[in-house]
Amino acid sequence: RKASIESRTQGRVIKQNSQLEAAMRSVRESEQIASETMEELQAQRQTLQSAKGRVGQVSSMTQEAKQLMKSINRPWWQKW
């Protein structure tokens, strides 16, 4: 009877250890995925910031072009 109880207890411990190891593997995989996701998001952030800078430059050039076109389209006597 005592041996049976010990055997069942040992079986439960082995099963719990196995479940714990599986859970730990899952946690490590989740951490790896999270790390990779963070790296990808960082790269995307840099891309977006670069694009924002280029959009700002284009906007500035567009404003300059508009001013130039207004100047060109004014009659010559209004340019002074």
Side-chain angles (χ1 to χ4, degrees), residues 19-75:
Q19 290 173 336
L20 181 58
E21 288 172 4
M24 292 300 291
R25 276 193 305 275
S26 179
V27 166
R28 285 190 296 273
E29 289 173 8
S30 295
E31 288 175 341
Q32 180 65 33
I33 291 168
S35 177
E36 291 169 2
T37 300
M38 289 297 291
E39 289 175 12
E40 180 63 28
L41 289 172
Q42 181 74 17
Q44 290 178 5
R45 179 183 184 149
Q46 290 173 348
T47 300
L48 289 171
Q49 287 176 331
S50 176
K52 181 180 176 184
R54 287 192 302 273
V55 167
Q57 290 174 342
V58 169
S59 179
S60 177
M61 289 189 310
T62 301
Q63 284 300 107
E64 290 177 28
K66 283 180 183 178
Q67 292 299 323
L68 184 58
M69 291 302 295
K70 283 182 183 180
S71 174
I72 290 171
N73 288 329
R74 274 188 284 169

